[in-house]
Amino acid sequence: MLTGAAMAQTGSGPAVAHFTLPNGLEVVVIPDRRAPVVTHMVWYRVGSADETPGKSGLAHFLEHLMFKGTAKNPAGKFSQVVSTIGGQENAFTSSDYTGYYQRVAREQLKTVMEFESDRMTGLVLTDKVVLPERDVILEEQNQRVENNPGSRLGQQMDAALYLNHPYGKPVIGWRHEMEKLDRADALAFYKRFYGPNNAILVVAGDVDANAVRKLAEDTYGKVARRSDIGPRVRPQEPPPVSPRFLTLADPRVEQPSVQRSYLVPSSSTAKRGEAEALEVLAHILGSGSNSRLYRALVVEKDIAVSAGAWYQGSALDATKFGVYGSPKPGIALPQIESEIDATIAALIAGGVTAEELERSKTRLIADSVYAQDNQATLARWYGTALTTGNSVEDVRAWPERIRAVTASAVQDAAKQWLDKRRSVTGYLIKDAAPQTEKRS
Amino acid sequence: MSRLKVLLALIGALGVALAGLPANAMTIERIVSPAGIEAWLVRESAVPLIALNYAFTGGSSEDPADKTGLANLAASLLDEGAGELDAKAFHERMENRAIELGFNVGRDNFHGTMRVLNEHRDEAFELLRLALSAPRFDADAVERVRGQVLSGLRRETSSPNSIASRRWWETAFAGHPYGRQTNGTLETVPRITVDDLKTFPKRVFAREGLKIAIVGDIDAKTAGVLIDRAFASLPAKGDLKPPQPVIPRGLGRRIVVDVDVPQAVVTFGAPGIARSDPDFMAAYIVNHILGGGSFSSRLYREVREKRGLAYSVSDNLIWFRQSAVFIGGTATRADRTGEALAIIEQEIKRMAESGPTEEEVAKAKSYLKGSYALGLDTSGKIASQLVQMQIDNLGIDYVQRRSAMIDAVTLADTRRVAKRLFDGGLLVTVAGRPKGLASQGQ
């Protein structure tokens, strides 16, 4: 998670406004006056990790069904208007949030706010629209997962990493549960989680905060708050005890790989400075061709075609730190895995150099300046932060927090969190056995 | 009924409000560097960065038939060592200043991008100069990157999307460079030698045909000096073998490639329309109505919304220097692939025969005018569009003229062009195990 906060120190960035309407709707306004357009987003503090057991995929299914109309605006009308006014729209669902957005000319902001506030509580669903849409999400699951061996491995690894927390479930859902989701499920979920006091409005673009406040009061401000939205309490992970290993064999695998995920703190659960250290660690260990893993596996040992690391810092609960490598032909996966282990062990033992630290920090801080060039990116940063337990101030302070990371903090983070007992390791291999069983 | 009226009233009002917005928002200057290199500049001081996009004439269609993937491999190696700097040193210089250099190969052009913080622009243009004029192609870097390209190609051999797409292009442009994928094949990439790689920049990186756009907090004089640093030492002319004009073939054919996946991937298409064709705008409108990227297209409505047959379905116009296609795709479960394809074919036929309705054309025009500004709201997007406008010879005032060009298209134009575009049959490729759907035609 990065931010627009570099603006504060370069003095050239926009002043972000943040306020809350009486009905509980939080509003963030990010000025970007370069083009006469706005990005309008509504984020709900609900994602797949908030689903009832047995209803996996419901948060995402509802996201699709939100385009099916209200009493006031029948199915398709909102999309038609957005299209007619030359706007773009879409929506997205993660474990922790669900978001809807339109990008339109600034004159059209009020129009999309009227439609979006109407569907905040006004959704109407019939089986005529729900049932074909369920087929659509099943096709989406086919497209994203069943047709893609790497995604299948990822799902298995998440399920193995999270012993108790719902992050172990795929956002798209388990197919056997998706097939049974219905209209009543969707409406119950909608009534439980959608309302102004569980939402964040983010507007970025050629507009000022006072104008947005007035428009928000006239539209979203009229939507009654829901009294029964409880705190987001999910079952938490027990302390991890044992490394887990799994292998996914699929006849379509032409490039095998090793993946590993560690259970680590997120920017929301971490102690002060810890998430920032993990961010820098992921960069030094595995971002780009001068990272430790790439240098060791791809260049020096010459056994892999790719290798790297990543950290998914934005999450409400404990999150993942990943490392991976794909072997050259003829190299076995255990050799890749042991070289990854050796690279991590060397970093834990010897720490990182001042040069590595500086280079990574430069890059991560520069990203926050580059982000100022894209209002949609900035809007997403703020929306993500506010739905995953962070604040506007956290976002603004990002460059300072990265700048404060020390070499010893990076080394400590590696030592404490890159412990195999906290991890699951997955092998993706080609299944050479003849296919007798038919996949459904 | 009343709903439709309201909507039409809305369109009327909006057309006026939106016209000309992008033009007001942005001024494009034509600048000429001290060495005589032309570039288009947009000055923008709000964000302390510079975005540079440029294109050389000559892309993967310059690859020898037995060494396809050459341009792509060369592009992947430009930041893997240049001048006195080996790969590690070159990357360190980039990373120390958070400089981004990108190199991409299309069929007709070699495209480059740069993004840099204003304070580091001198270093960035120096690194770009080295990458373009003195790439090293060290043997170890070549083998490393070749291994990565081959790994990607191996992955593609079992990916239904790649299989359907590759088969479509190979069939439509059999024997022509446009039929070959830019990343080459498992047979051709191993044949590429270091000498081959070294000839590529010499043949393609020339000032003739070079298109440049620069966006950021920089004045014309400084921009000219920096452009010269990166490009002035390149030769005036390249050594190109431009491809011959070609019309896509295989209409009426359906090719099913057996792949063991639960969801079949479909690619469909036919000849398109040249960017310079007077009917291009009409075709653009018609294509948007049929299957352009919004939630309101005919294909989206019929295939996804009404029947739930697919998550994605769309089609696009793509144009090259010597050809053009319209091409689309979808992915749908094996037992309903036939149904999905039948609906797509029926919608294309219906569009060819009856064309769009007046309301559809009005809405599409409104969308295409209004959405243009959304494609010009970041420095990178602006620079990319400005280079494409130069490649397409649209003129520096195109942004101002575009809305009037859209408005000038009549309903009769769209119907005539729909027939021209969609009446000739389709080439269809399918990767998967679609029930009851076999190859046909030859």
Side-chain angles (χ1 to χ4, degrees), chain A residues 44-51 94-98 164-167 169 189 192-193 231-237 266 268-269 315-318 387-389:
Chain A
Y44 292 96
R45 290 189 178 88
V46 62
S48 60
D50 302 298
E51 291 158 351
S94 86
S95 306
D96 290 325
Y97 51 79
T98 311
N164 197 42
H165 192 284
Y167 284 170
K169 290 181 307 176
F189 194 79
R192 194 170 147 210
F193 290 111
R232 304 175 83 183
V233 182
R234 290 91 168 254
Q236 297 298 303
E237 281 299 295
S266 68
S268 168
T269 68
L316 198 57
D317 297 313
T387 47
T388 57

Side-chain angles (χ1 to χ4, degrees), chain A residues 10 12-13 32 34-39 60 64 67-68 74-77 79-91 103-108 111 115 128-129 132-133 135-144 146-147 149 175 251-257 283 287-291 294-295 298-300 302 304-306 326-329 355 359 362-363 366-367 369-376 430 435 437-440, chain B residues 3-4 6-7 10-11 14 17-18 21-22 25-26 44-49 51 80 87-93 95-100 115-117 120 140 143-145 147-148 150-152 154-161 259-265 288 294-296 300-301 303-312 330-334 336 362-363 366-381 435:
Chain A
T10 59
S12 61
D32 171 17
R34 296 174 298 161
V37 298
V38 292
T39 300
H60 171 255
H64 278 233
F67 290 81
K68 300 303 181 186
K77 185 172 172 194
S79 290
Q80 286 222 357
V81 169
V82 169
S83 168
T84 303
I85 64 182
Q88 294 165 352
E89 62 170 339
N90 218 324
R103 294 181 20 78
V104 295
R106 66 181 168 210
E107 288 79 7
Q108 304 303 330
T111 302
F115 277 105
K128 186 167 176 264
V129 295
E133 202 59 33
D135 286 342
V136 170
I137 59 166
L138 288 166
E139 288 305 323
E140 185 177 357
Q141 198 268 352
N142 269 336
Q143 189 168 328
R144 289 187 191 277
E146 301 301 334
N147 266 21
R175 211 172 163 86
R252 292 165 292 166
V253 173
E254 298 297 335
Q255 173 61 62
S257 67
H283 201 270
S287 180
S289 58
N290 278 339
S291 65
Y294 189 97
R295 290 295 305 171
V298 181
V299 180
E300 280 149 24
D302 198 16
V305 292
S306 68
S326 294
K328 291 179 75 167
E355 202 197 351
R359 207 159 52 215
T362 298
R363 174 72 239 189
D367 280 341
V369 182
Y370 289 146
Q372 292 175 42
D373 192 32
N374 191 330
Q375 59 176 244
K430 188 174 183 69
Q435 289 293 292
E437 176 196 15
K438 199 163 181 269
R439 262 195 303 278
S440 61
Chain B
R3 196 166 29 116
L4 189 62
V6 170
L7 204 56
L10 195 60
I11 298 164
L14 296 174
L18 292 175
L21 275 179
M26 172 172 98
E44 175 54 71
S45 57
V47 182
L49 60 82
E80 295 286 348
K88 182 165 187 282
F90 196 93
H91 281 292
E92 276 172 3
R93 290 271 292 266
E95 288 169 19
N96 287 341
R97 304 273 184 272
I99 293 164
E100 295 178 359
R115 189 161 71 156
V116 62
L117 301 178
H120 301 317
D140 56 343
E143 292 319 311
R144 175 162 50 81
V145 174
Q148 289 163 351
L150 289 171
S151 166
R154 278 195 299 275
R155 269 203 192 96
E156 287 185 10
T157 61
S158 68
S159 150
N161 293 60
V259 188
D260 185 11
V261 285
Q263 186 184 54
V265 175
H288 176 77
S294 86
F295 290 170
S296 312
Y300 185 91
R301 214 167 51 229
V303 175
R304 171 167 160 165
E305 202 153 74
K306 280 194 192 160
R307 297 178 179 84
L309 288 167
Y311 173 60
S312 60
T330 190
T332 184
R333 63 191 229 214
R336 296 184 75 183
K363 284 192 221 161
S366 177
Y367 173 82
L368 294 172
K369 287 185 289 183
S371 63
Y372 195 52
L374 300 177
L376 297 169
D377 74 332
T378 76
S379 305
K381 284 191 213 171
K435 212 164 266 171

Side-chain angles (χ1 to χ4, degrees), chain B residues 65-300:
Chain B
D66 61 340
K67 290 179 178 175
T68 62
L70 168 58
N72 176 65
L73 186 58
S76 309
L77 281 157
L78 293 182
D79 64 356
E80 295 286 348
E84 299 298 308
L85 306 171
D86 66 8
K88 182 165 187 282
F90 196 93
H91 281 292
E92 276 172 3
R93 290 271 292 266
M94 286 170 63
E95 288 169 19
N96 287 341
R97 304 273 184 272
I99 293 164
E100 295 178 359
L101 296 179
F103 307 101
N104 286 293
V105 172
R107 282 174 169 81
D108 289 325
N109 292 93
F110 177 98
H111 296 269
T113 59
M114 170 198 289
R115 189 161 71 156
V116 62
L117 301 178
N118 226 348
E119 56 192 306
H120 301 317
R121 63 195 186 194
D122 288 340
E123 172 80 344
F125 277 85
E126 172 60 14
L127 290 175
L128 179 59
R129 179 188 72 80
L130 286 171
L132 294 178
S133 56
R136 289 163 66 101
F137 300 113
D138 289 332
D140 56 343
V142 169
E143 292 319 311
R144 175 162 50 81
V145 174
R146 190 200 308 269
Q148 289 163 351
V149 171
L150 289 171
S151 166
L153 286 168
R154 278 195 299 275
R155 269 203 192 96
E156 287 185 10
T157 61
S158 68
S159 150
N161 293 60
S162 301
I163 291 167
S165 164
R166 206 172 253 270
R167 183 58 75 88
W168 194 93
W169 289 96
E170 281 169 8
T171 309
F173 293 104
H176 190 278
Y178 289 160
R180 305 172 198 142
Q181 297 296 301
T182 54
N183 56 349
T185 73
L186 288 168
E187 289 71 44
T188 59
V189 170
R191 291 190 195 123
I192 298 167
T193 66
V194 169
D195 282 344
D196 294 329
L197 290 165
K198 285 182 173 165
T199 62
F200 178 80
K202 286 184 191 143
R203 290 178 45 226
V204 173
F205 295 171
R207 298 203 305 274
E208 187 179 56
L210 170 61
K211 312 293 184 193
I212 300 175
I214 182 163
V215 179
D217 191 7
I218 187 167
D219 60 61
K221 188 160 175 262
T222 314
V225 170
L226 289 173
I227 284 165
D228 278 354
R229 176 165 319 161
F231 299 101
S233 62
L234 297 175
K237 283 174 89 72
D239 175 18
L240 300 174
K241 300 178 190 70
Q244 295 301 306
V246 60
I247 294 164
R249 285 174 291 177
L251 303 187
R253 284 187 72 181
R254 182 169 69 217
I255 301 168
V256 178
V257 186
D258 181 67
V259 188
D260 185 11
V261 285
Q263 186 184 54
V265 175
V266 178
T267 301
F268 58 88
I273 186 158
R275 187 63 186 83
S276 56
D277 192 298
D279 277 337
F280 179 84
M281 263 317 171
Y284 197 54
I285 290 169
V286 170
N287 185 72
H288 176 77
I289 294 165
L290 177 71
S294 86
F295 290 170
S296 312
S297 77
R298 288 188 180 184
L299 293 182
Y300 185 91

Side-chain angles (χ1 to χ4, degrees), chain A residues 14 285 427:
Chain A
L285 192 59
Y427 282 12

Side-chain angles (χ1 to χ4, degrees), chain A residues 51-82:
Chain A
E51 291 158 351
T52 311
K55 303 287 182 188
S56 64
L58 184 52
H60 171 255
F61 187 33
L62 175 60
E63 177 227 297
H64 278 233
L65 294 175
M66 284 288 282
F67 290 81
K68 300 303 181 186
T70 65
K72 205 165 142 195
N73 296 301
K77 185 172 172 194
F78 188 6
S79 290
Q80 286 222 357
V81 169
V82 169

Side-chain angles (χ1 to χ4, degrees), chain A residues 225-273:
Chain A
R225 64 186 297 139
R226 283 205 196 279
S227 55
D228 51 352
I229 296 171
R232 304 175 83 183
V233 182
R234 290 91 168 254
Q236 297 298 303
E237 281 299 295
V241 173
S242 162
R244 281 135 284 170
F245 299 92
L246 56 89
T247 297
L248 188 121
D250 185 304
R252 292 165 292 166
V253 173
E254 298 297 335
Q255 173 61 62
S257 67
V258 184
Q259 313 273 339
R260 184 185 295 153
S261 303
Y262 296 88
L263 186 71
V264 301
S266 68
S267 59
S268 168
T269 68
K271 293 202 286 281
R272 193 181 167 78

